[in-house]
Each structure stands twice: as structure tokens, then as C-alpha cells.
Amino acid sequence: MACSRSGACRPDGNARSEVDDLVVRAYRHPSDYQLVYDFLLELYRPDTTLPTWLGPRWEYLHGHSCVELVDLSAIGIAESACGRIEGVIHPEHVPEQRYLQVRPGSEDVRPTLLEWAEEHHAVPPGGTPSGRVGVYVDDADDRLRALVTERGYRRSGHEQEAHASMRLEALPPSVPCAEGYRLSSLALS
């Protein structure tokens, strides 16, 4: 049984939000795969900062040989009464760490998605849930930072995704480039 932020319980295990008669439910693979993929495509805007995963990353989550290491039941979908996805909260490679992706204009569903994630802990392969939930927060998202702080979350010291940066011990060797091109450091930009 899951409770909404108002405390009203539903016997079907779905958290009910007061926002637009929203239901947060568990992801059902494979039937929800394309729905979430399409949701991510709708959110993507190449002319803005990246507010969401790209479709290929969603594919990768499901197609990589380590997908069996991801607890797909820990993915929560916020759906409006008409069946439109308003938000998704899901882990990737670290069971406790979640990504929160919400349709612009539907930011009010974030507390309900966080509550759902807190009640549906991901289970690591061959293990038991740690009881912890983390969420990535964009530095520019003051509202989400305030929300997670209000709910008792604190910075973990792992602010960057492991694959988003790489520490080099030395500069790479010279790389030949085609005529008219040059290789330069992003640090100098």
C-alpha cells in the first residue's frame, strides 16, 4: 500500500497525488518501455540545457548486458487521469540513486514521485535494499534543491555522475587531425 503526500492510501499500491488526479505507479516492462521512451523524446529540446535523458540512454538501460542488475520495479511513473506520463523517477547503475524527469509545467508532481521512490527502494542484485534514496539535482534547479532539502536529503559528495567526467593523470598524446581541424582543451574555452 502506498500513501500520497496527503496521507490517503489506495489499496492497489499506487500513490495518488492531488495534482491533476495523478497516479504514480510502478513501471511495467516491456509494455511501458515505449511510453517512457516517447515521453523522453517529447521532453528533449536541443536548444536548452538537457533536462532529461536522451532516448538512446533509455535504450541502453534496457539493452545493456547489465540491465539485469537494475531493479525495474524501482521505476515510478506519474500518469495523469488521461494516461499521459507527467514524470518518471528511476535508477540506473546505482540502485539507491534516482533520476527525476518531469514534463515542463508538471513540476508539482516531483514531491509525489520522490515519496514513491522513498517507499519503493531498489534492490541491488542478490542483496537487500539499503533504505536510502538519492536523487540527482541540477545545479540550476533551485526548486528541486529546495524540495529535497525540505524532505531531509543532503549532498552526498557524489554530485557528478561517474560517466560524466574523467580524471586524466596526464595529457593525452598528440592526435593527428584532418586539415582544417584542431584538437583543443575544453578547459580553455
Side-chain angles (χ1 to χ4, degrees):
M1 188 173 290
C3 296
S4 73
R5 55 188 171 181
S6 66
C9 293
R10 292 174 42 109
D12 60 6
N14 293 325
R16 169 78 69 188
S17 169
E18 298 157 1
V19 181
D20 190 33
D21 199 29
L22 190 84
V23 172
V24 179
R25 62 173 178 80
Y27 173 76
R28 295 182 292 258
H29 186 70
S31 62
D32 284 335
Y33 172 84
Q34 191 65 45
L35 296 173
V36 173
Y37 185 91
D38 292 344
F39 165 74
L40 295 174
L41 285 178
E42 284 179 48
L43 294 188
Y44 176 69
R45 296 289 176 265
D47 57 335
T48 63
T49 59
L50 189 64
T52 184
W53 276 21
L54 297 173
R57 189 167 177 185
W58 184 250
E59 288 177 16
Y60 179 83
L61 171 69
H62 289 78
H64 190 274
S65 60
C66 291
V67 73
E68 63 196 34
L69 303 178
V70 176
D71 181 4
L72 296 178
S73 72
I75 299 172
I77 297 176
E79 215 170 40
S80 67
C82 66
R84 183 173 97 153
I85 294 177
E86 300 298 329
V88 176
I89 190 162
H90 60 87
E92 186 184 34
H93 56 283
V94 178
E96 297 88 3
Q97 198 66 34
R98 305 295 175 91
Y99 296 86
L100 178 60
Q101 299 167 125
V102 175
R103 182 181 303 284
S106 295
E107 289 81 5
D108 289 347
V109 307
R110 295 195 287 192
T112 307
L113 281 165
L114 282 172
E115 182 176 328
W116 190 92
E118 292 161 2
E119 294 175 2
H120 297 84
H121 298 288
V123 179
T128 57
S130 70
R132 295 180 341 175
V133 173
V135 64
Y136 286 105
V137 177
D138 186 329
D139 289 336
D141 194 338
D142 295 332
R143 286 180 61 196
L144 181 56
R145 189 173 336 115
L147 171 65
V148 297
T149 300
E150 176 183 300
R151 293 183 71 87
Y153 289 73
R154 59 183 171 75
R155 289 188 97 119
S156 66
H158 302 286
E159 279 74 39
Q160 277 195 320
E161 297 178 88
H163 65 275
S165 65
M166 182 174 64
R167 184 175 306 278
L168 297 175
E169 299 302 322
L171 291 174
S174 177
V175 177
C177 296
E179 189 175 326
Y181 292 89
R182 67 182 173 87
L183 184 65
S184 62
S185 169
L186 294 175
L188 303 176
S189 300

